[in-house]
């Protein structure tokens, strides 16, 4: 059994692996998890205490249990702590698309949370979003923030539905930043119909639309297809995205910008 010590990034990577195991199986004995992760039972208890405190799973007597009412693939808390170094690199590129005085639409995906933090220092901008988390991240910033309202989805900490789409019809933004849950050969998919339809409305409400997607979302599909990437002006992704997925995007006339993630960047 290897030593459990490591950098903060390595520890967080292991905890994310533990979380995926529990999410996939529903319930696992702690001793079995320790064996799978090749760490001591004591180390596994510390990892599970951390995940329990972050409300990502339940730690019981001898077992770890996934939340039965949350699909961990969609749970915002899970996604927010995944691929953080990549999201920070994407945010640096996305922030270059914003100028003082712009009206900015921001989607609810966790990929855009680092961008929201960067926008807090941009003068004179107005931010419009359906994400409660984005509004929290901009609290105290000089930006004027408008929250789009409709049915609240706890897993995404945001609102979506026909009322959100009607509000977007009365908005003209300089730039819209949108995420995607799944992209396959230039086609877009989402597991929730209301979000799929809202993302289309974002495109119609902005002069320029930017799609921000990390490599892990490519080559996947979900329940509801909602067209392709052709409505976007720019796709920003990381260098881990395979060329086989980027070629169809370029063929649809969309500019592709890839960012490099520093090898020593923390993952959390």
């Amino acid at each position: 059994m290897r030593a459990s010590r490591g950098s903060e990034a390595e520890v967080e990577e292991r905890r994310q692996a533990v979380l995926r195991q529990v999410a996939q199986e529903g319930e696992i004995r702690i001793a079995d998890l320790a064996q799978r992760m090749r760490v001591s039972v004591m180390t596994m208890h510390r990892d599970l205490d951390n995940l329990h405190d972050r409300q990502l799973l339940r730690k019981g007597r001898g077992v770890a249990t996934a939340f039965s009412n949350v699909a961990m693939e969609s749970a915002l808390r899970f996604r927010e702590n995944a691929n953080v170094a990549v999201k920070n690199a994407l945010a640096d590129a996305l922030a270059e698309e914003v100028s003082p005085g712009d009206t900015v639409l921001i989607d609810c995906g966790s990929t855009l949370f680092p961008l929201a933090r960067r926008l807090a220092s941009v003068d004179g901008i107005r931010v419009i979003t359906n994400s409660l988390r984005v509004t929290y991240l901009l609290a105290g910033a000089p930006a004027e923030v408008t929250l789009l309202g409709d049915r609240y989805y706890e897993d995404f900490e945001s609102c979506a539905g026909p009322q959100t789409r009607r509000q977007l019809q009365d908005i003209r933004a300089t730039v819209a930043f949108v995420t995607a849950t799944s992209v396959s050969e230039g086609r877009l998919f989402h597991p929730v119909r209301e979000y799929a339809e809202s993302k289309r409305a974002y495109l119609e409400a902005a002069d320029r639309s930017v799609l921000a997607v990390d490599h892990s979302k490519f080559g996947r599909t979900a329940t509801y297809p909602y067209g392709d990437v052709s409505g976007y002006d720019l796709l920003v992704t990381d260098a881990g995205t395979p060329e086989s997925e980027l070629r169809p995007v370029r063929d649809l006339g969309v500019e592709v910008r890839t960012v490099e993630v520093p090898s020593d960047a923390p993952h959390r």
Side-chain angles (χ1 to χ4, degrees):
M1 184 175 294
R2 67 176 174 82
S4 62
R5 291 183 179 179
S7 68
E8 180 181 355
E10 291 169 337
V11 171
E12 180 60 23
E13 285 180 357
R14 185 181 66 239
R15 288 172 178 168
Q16 293 292 328
V18 169
L19 185 58
R20 286 192 290 271
Q21 290 279 321
V22 176
Q24 289 167 6
E25 299 187 28
E27 182 176 286
I28 308 179
R29 293 177 62 248
I30 294 174
D32 290 344
L33 273 171
Q35 186 174 21
R36 293 184 195 185
M37 295 295 116
R38 300 180 63 197
V39 297
S40 69
V41 173
M42 183 177 296
T43 295
M44 183 51 57
H45 275 284
R46 286 196 294 267
D47 285 349
L48 292 171
D49 284 339
N50 176 276
L51 294 169
H52 178 88
D53 290 343
R54 288 156 63 183
Q55 301 181 46
L56 293 170
L57 51 69
R58 292 189 181 94
K59 181 190 174 193
R61 187 180 295 275
V63 297
T65 308
F67 287 119
S68 59
N69 64 333
V70 176
M72 293 307 297
E73 184 64 21
S74 296
L76 181 126
R77 287 189 297 268
F78 174 74
R79 290 178 289 125
E80 186 174 5
N81 288 285
N83 298 326
V84 174
V86 173
K87 292 172 183 175
N88 283 328
L90 294 178
D92 290 339
L94 296 172
E96 296 176 0
E97 300 296 313
V98 180
S99 300
D102 281 354
T103 296
V104 182
L105 272 172
I106 301 183
D107 193 13
C108 63
S110 65
T111 300
L112 299 177
F113 293 167
L115 171 64
R117 295 186 181 97
R118 285 157 177 74
L119 294 186
S121 61
V122 180
D123 293 333
I125 65 168
R126 180 182 183 187
V127 175
I128 302 170
T129 183
N130 63 334
S131 169
L132 266 68
R133 185 65 64 88
V134 168
T135 64
Y136 296 153
L137 292 172
L138 290 169
E144 177 185 337
V145 181
T146 299
L147 179 63
L148 301 170
D150 206 315
R151 177 184 170 186
Y152 177 68
Y153 290 80
E154 184 175 0
D155 289 356
F156 299 95
E157 290 191 13
S158 61
C159 299
Q163 183 174 331
T164 296
R165 296 194 294 274
R166 285 194 294 270
Q167 292 172 44
L168 286 168
Q169 291 175 359
D170 296 326
I171 290 169
R172 198 67 204 165
T174 313
V175 60
F177 295 101
V178 186
T179 61
T181 299
S182 307
V183 185
S184 178
E185 298 181 341
R187 295 171 297 163
L188 301 166
F189 303 83
H190 200 280
V192 179
R193 184 190 298 275
E194 294 291 4
Y195 281 92
E197 294 178 355
S198 292
K199 288 175 188 292
R200 283 197 292 256
Y202 266 66
L203 301 186
E204 297 170 2
D207 295 331
R208 180 171 171 80
S209 298
V210 180
L211 182 63
V213 189
D214 71 62
H215 67 274
S216 68
K217 309 297 175 51
F218 285 88
R220 300 170 51 181
T221 63
T223 308
Y224 298 103
Y226 60 100
D228 57 41
V229 301
S230 60
Y232 291 91
D233 299 286
L234 172 67
L235 166 67
V236 179
T237 188
D238 61 282
T241 302
E243 179 59 31
S244 60
E245 287 290 339
L246 296 180
R247 191 176 304 111
V249 175
R250 294 190 180 97
D251 289 345
L252 288 168
V254 180
E255 179 187 355
V256 175
R257 188 177 306 164
T258 58
V259 300
E260 295 287 343
V261 180
S263 59
D264 59 347
H267 290 264
R268 183 172 188 276

